[in-house]
Amino acid sequence: MYTKIIIKKSYLHSLVTRRFVSSFASLNKAMKVAVVGSGISGAVCASVLAKNGVAVTLFDSARGPGGRMSQRREISEDGKELLFDHGAPYFTVSNPDVLELVHEWESGGLVAEWKVNFSSFDCVSSKFVDIQQDGISKKYVGVPGMNSIIKALCRQPDLTFAPELAAKLEDIPVNPCFALLLAFAEPLSLIPVKGFSFQNSRVLSWAHCDSSKPGRSTASERWVLHSTAEYAKSVIAQTGLQKPSDETLCKVAEEMFQEFHSIGLTTSLPVFRKAHRWGSAFPATSIAREEKCLWDKNKRLAICGDFCVSPNVEGAILSGLAAASKLTEILSCL
């Protein structure tokens, strides 16, 4: 009986506390793979292996699958449910292998194109600049949430530690981020686009209207704001790496909203406001750009994630596909 392991970087130092997906059906009972980490990279890898008849068990320390494509469920003071894509707001695709996979998801109703214009807001001139017209590059989102893709992939599908590979992950620099979740009773009519970056802001880097995505509720207008890495680092330097306190998150929410409000993008107060820390939002380097994953043939261990290729959804998918390919190849020889 063989055991093959795939480990995502973010779980190497705090191994699994919860299993939430059972083993997938297998054509060969001797072929068993454990996938640790259920972000898009791990989920894609598990799905590909399951389709090839491999028994896969998916492990994660979080309450549910998602990673950077997680969706947060919040309850407003009046008891209404509010859903936010607080991580990756959308993704684009250029690689043909990823595009083929995304087209499968699109035909299955898991993905839809988000047809909106994006822009950039200059905080010095207080003007929107470089408005991108719809159609320049397709923006894809999960339906009805970014995590819908992960959940669907996870429904399809004795740890060995490898210090040689783990050592390569010890010092990968990451950029943290705070996300601010906002809900408004009325549309923000002063904003002509549904997603934009910030120029010349110390606090804010990005904003998008989450409720404008296909398949989302429009009962309220919901926005997600991301902080700059510099701002997040300054907060963490003061408060430490431990889970942020409610007091810290309230202060962050106040500072991020005041920046948003002070530059004149909203004249109304939100009916809901909450900050969330995204501790390892973006890897600052790529450690396996050519190979797309770390691979130890003797231990039959693959390590995949966005930190291998590029710090975005497409990079994570490519890494997951590469890890699945390595394991499928070696399993076919057993």
Side-chain angles (χ1 to χ4, degrees):
M1 190 72 70
Y2 297 92
T3 304
K4 291 85 188 178
I5 313 294
I6 301 166
I7 300 183
K8 281 197 63 184
K9 169 234 176 184
S10 56
Y11 301 100
L12 279 175
H13 303 296
S14 57
L15 291 179
V16 187
T17 61
R18 190 172 302 148
R19 187 180 87 179
F20 58 85
V21 176
S22 300
S23 298
F24 294 97
S26 174
L27 297 179
N28 187 333
K29 298 299 182 183
M31 296 181 181
K32 291 187 177 181
V33 173
V35 175
V36 182
S38 64
I40 185 63
S41 193
V44 165
C45 185
S47 176
V48 171
L49 290 170
K51 286 180 179 179
N52 282 276
V54 179
V56 182
T57 303
L58 190 56
F59 294 85
D60 202 292
S61 61
R63 291 178 295 175
R68 70 164 59 245
M69 297 177 75
S70 296
Q71 185 180 64
R72 289 193 72 83
R73 176 180 178 271
E74 302 288 350
I75 303 297
S76 63
E77 289 185 359
D78 59 1
K80 294 180 180 178
E81 181 182 68
L82 302 172
L83 299 175
F84 297 90
D85 293 329
H86 67 293
Y90 70 98
F91 63 96
T92 59
V93 180
S94 59
N95 181 274
D97 292 332
V98 178
L99 189 60
E100 181 180 356
L101 193 59
V102 170
H103 284 164
E104 286 183 24
W105 297 342
E106 193 172 19
S107 63
L110 295 174
V111 164
E113 186 181 350
W114 188 18
K115 298 181 179 181
V116 294
N117 295 336
F118 281 6
S119 182
S120 182
F121 184 84
D122 187 343
C123 296
V124 173
S125 64
S126 296
K127 292 181 179 179
F128 283 95
V129 295
D130 302 325
I131 295 182
Q132 302 173 0
Q133 295 302 311
D134 181 31
I136 292 179
S137 61
K138 287 188 175 182
K139 310 170 188 71
Y140 294 101
V141 297
V143 179
M146 289 297 284
N147 62 352
S148 300
I149 303 169
I150 312 291
K151 288 181 177 179
L153 294 176
C154 291
R155 284 195 296 266
Q156 292 176 17
D158 318 31
L159 297 177
T160 302
F161 195 62
E164 303 84 5
L165 293 186
K168 297 182 180 181
L169 307 177
E170 287 288 347
D171 299 314
I172 296 178
V174 294
N175 290 320
C177 175
F178 280 95
L180 178 61
L181 317 180
L182 298 172
F184 295 87
E186 301 293 336
L188 302 187
S189 58
L190 296 178
I191 303 178
V193 292
K194 298 304 181 184
F196 59 96
S197 60
F198 290 87
Q199 296 179 12
N200 302 309
S201 174
R202 182 189 69 85
V203 178
L204 299 178
S205 66
W206 170 257
H208 77 271
C209 180
D210 213 47
S211 53
S212 70
K213 295 176 181 178
R216 270 62 170 183
S217 167
T218 56
S220 62
E221 180 155 299
R222 297 178 304 284
W223 283 79
V224 176
L225 277 57
H226 283 177
S227 76
T228 62
E230 291 70 26
Y231 172 78
K233 288 176 181 177
S234 69
V235 173
I236 292 172
Q238 298 172 36
T239 61
L241 292 173
Q242 69 274 12
K243 182 179 178 180
S245 65
D246 291 343
E247 181 182 1
T248 295
L249 291 177
C250 285
K251 181 182 178 183
V252 167
E254 175 66 21
E255 291 177 347
M256 291 181 66
F257 179 73
Q258 284 305 316
E259 179 80 353
F260 188 57
H261 186 70
S262 66
I263 54 184
L265 295 180
T266 174
T267 57
S268 59
L269 295 177
V271 296
F272 177 86
R273 183 176 75 181
K274 187 174 183 179
H276 171 77
R277 189 181 74 183
W278 192 6
S280 301
F282 305 102
T285 188
S286 301
I287 63 173
R289 191 176 294 275
E290 296 300 322
E291 303 84 355
K292 296 183 174 59
C293 71
L294 300 180
W295 173 239
D296 187 321
K297 184 176 181 179
N298 293 329
K299 291 186 173 66
R300 298 192 291 278
L301 171 66
I303 298 178
C304 58
D306 56 2
F307 55 91
C308 288
V309 184
S310 57
N312 51 37
V313 173
E314 184 177 24
I317 293 174
L318 278 171
S319 187
L321 289 173
S325 177
K326 292 289 188 184
L327 280 166
T328 301
E329 181 180 347
I330 197 170
L331 288 173
S332 66
C333 299
L334 295 177

